[in-house]
Amino acid sequence: MATKKSAKTPNVSADELKSYYRDMLLIRRFEEKAGQLYGMGLIGGFCHLYIGQEAVVVGLEATAKEGDSRITTYRDHGHMLACGMDPNGVMAELTGREDGYSKGKGGSMHMFSKEKRFYGGHGIVGANVPLGAGIAFADKYKGNDNVTFTYFGDGAANQGQVYETFNMAALWDLPVIFVIENNQYAMGTSQQRSTSSAEIWERGKAFGIPGEAVDGMDVLAVKAAGEKAVAHCRSGEGPYILEIKTYRYRGHSMSDPAKYRTREEVQKMRDERDPIEQVRKLLLTGDHATEDDLKSIDKEIKKIVNDSAEFAKNSPEPALEELWTDIYATEVPQEA
């Protein structure tokens, strides 16, 4: 049976708190820099920023082990950084350069890392969900205890392929965690207007998949729920659903003016629920860090991000011949 909303938070050390703070800050600063480069015309196409949602991936990656996989949609830069992909390679790919993770051919929505078992952002809403189940199927077939984190949003949760995947994952007891990153507005329509059920995770009940809702602005709450989900999957009990209720501060993409909500609403969330600020307060009030310590971390992160931007700018454009590499077919079929 499905479980109710989790209120448990894990015990964490000062070093762990600092690590979460640093990782979330890296995502925040990286995305701010990506937004700047987009405005300068150095990033083309679509660019979906993760600002505000940092606690989701940082909390879940804290529960992952070597061999686990992750796959998501197009709001994916945070996922890449959280699983340890190099900011230089990520920024170079965003700018379409040769030193990017997909050699400049994937851009914001289509980069991968075999080493980190990051199987991409995907541009088609919900299309990554069955792919995530497929990765989990491969792990089960091999007989290991790896888990696949399959991320998608509240908008994608209304796709039919999601429920076909739920059915197969439940039938085959696949070790997949379906992570619904519910930022409340999908592409631009509020959940209240687009989704008939207030608690999306409860849809798993129809397939016998347990799950819970999680406060996605609290990295410790996300970690606690993630530990429970991971233990469930590793023990062979099948899939698990986490509906992580979060909030993005920017529009759906850089081209979205986000007129479907008020500035006051966004500012209230920033002031009262910001995930980075919550950890900052824990560090300071618990005497785990000083203001100078946190300023030093911020300085370090800004240097990493600025260096990644310079690396991207100095990386060459892909050669024309790259159009013909990394493809499945080498010959064009002749017409009959």
Side-chain angles (χ1 to χ4, degrees):
M1 294 295 292
T3 58
K4 294 183 178 180
K5 183 173 180 178
S6 174
K8 179 185 175 184
T9 56
N11 292 320
V12 294
S13 67
D15 286 342
E16 286 175 309
L17 273 179
K18 287 179 183 177
S19 175
Y20 304 153
Y21 179 80
R22 184 188 182 281
D23 291 347
M24 287 193 290
L25 195 60
L26 173 62
I27 295 171
R28 177 73 58 89
R29 297 289 182 252
F30 184 94
E31 293 291 65
E32 289 169 349
K33 179 61 71 174
Q36 291 174 11
L37 296 184
Y38 183 92
M40 295 166 61
L42 295 174
I43 295 177
F46 292 102
C47 185
H48 306 80
L49 302 182
Y50 203 64
I51 297 173
Q53 299 184 207
E54 298 89 353
V56 180
V57 287
V58 171
L60 290 181
E61 283 294 335
T63 71
K65 71 172 182 63
E66 188 75 24
D68 288 342
S69 301
R70 59 281 295 162
I71 187 170
T72 186
T73 51
Y74 37 72
R75 196 179 311 282
D76 52 4
H77 314 154
H79 303 73
M80 299 169 196
L81 297 173
C83 74
M85 290 170 65
D86 184 359
N88 287 355
V90 177
M91 194 68 86
E93 187 60 40
L94 292 180
T95 53
R97 304 305 175 98
E98 185 180 273
D99 294 310
Y101 268 98
S102 295
K103 301 179 184 178
K105 297 182 290 186
S108 176
M109 296 192 289
H110 303 287
M111 64 180 101
F112 302 79
S113 173
K114 183 178 179 181
E115 176 192 4
K116 297 298 182 181
R117 295 182 65 88
F118 177 81
Y119 293 105
H122 291 264
I124 305 301
V125 176
N128 64 303
V129 179
L131 296 177
I135 297 168
F137 180 87
D139 283 326
K140 180 168 184 178
Y141 188 82
K142 293 174 182 176
N144 58 48
D145 68 344
N146 295 337
V147 167
T148 298
F149 295 89
T150 299
Y151 295 85
F152 56 102
D154 48 303
N158 292 320
Q159 289 271 331
Q161 60 192 320
V162 170
Y163 301 98
E164 293 182 64
T165 304
F166 282 3
N167 185 53
M168 289 186 286
L171 280 172
W172 299 333
D173 292 326
L174 299 183
V176 55
I177 300 173
F178 296 108
V179 183
I180 305 170
E181 293 194 78
N182 184 355
N183 61 29
Q184 305 177 44
Y185 283 99
M187 292 181 70
T189 304
S190 68
Q191 181 187 342
Q192 290 75 18
R193 295 179 59 203
S194 65
T195 304
S196 61
S197 50
E199 302 291 331
I200 303 174
W201 67 271
E202 291 185 335
R203 295 179 181 182
K205 290 180 179 179
F207 305 93
I209 302 177
E212 60 189 282
V214 187
D215 180 359
M217 306 304 278
D218 181 345
V219 69
L220 300 185
V222 174
K223 182 176 186 289
E227 287 174 343
K228 183 177 181 180
V230 163
H232 176 91
C233 289
R234 294 204 203 286
S235 64
E237 296 184 52
Y240 201 91
I241 298 174
L242 294 176
E243 180 186 353
I244 305 188
K245 299 189 177 184
T246 183
Y247 195 88
R248 57 172 166 79
Y249 297 162
R250 302 289 185 91
H252 172 68
S253 70
M254 285 295 294
S255 59
D256 173 20
K259 294 183 178 179
Y260 40 81
R261 59 186 182 180
T262 65
R263 291 183 180 180
E264 290 75 18
E265 176 186 313
V266 178
Q267 192 59 49
K268 180 177 174 64
M269 185 65 72
R270 277 183 175 273
D271 292 341
E272 299 179 5
R273 304 293 314 287
D274 186 78
I276 299 175
E277 185 61 25
Q278 288 190 56
V279 175
R280 183 178 182 277
K281 289 179 179 177
L282 286 174
L283 287 168
L284 292 173
T285 58
D287 291 327
H288 303 308
T290 65
E291 288 282 5
D292 286 341
D293 292 333
L294 299 185
K295 286 179 181 178
S296 178
I297 293 173
D298 196 14
K299 182 178 179 180
E300 174 201 356
I301 293 300
K302 285 179 179 177
K303 184 179 187 309
I304 291 171
V305 170
N306 288 333
D307 287 349
S308 75
E310 289 304 309
F311 177 84
K313 292 175 186 177
N314 293 320
S315 177
E317 299 275 351
L320 185 61
E321 291 76 20
E322 276 295 332
L323 287 170
W324 307 106
T325 64
D326 306 312
I327 56 177
Y328 290 109
T330 57
E331 296 182 3
V332 179
Q334 299 297 316
E335 293 185 6

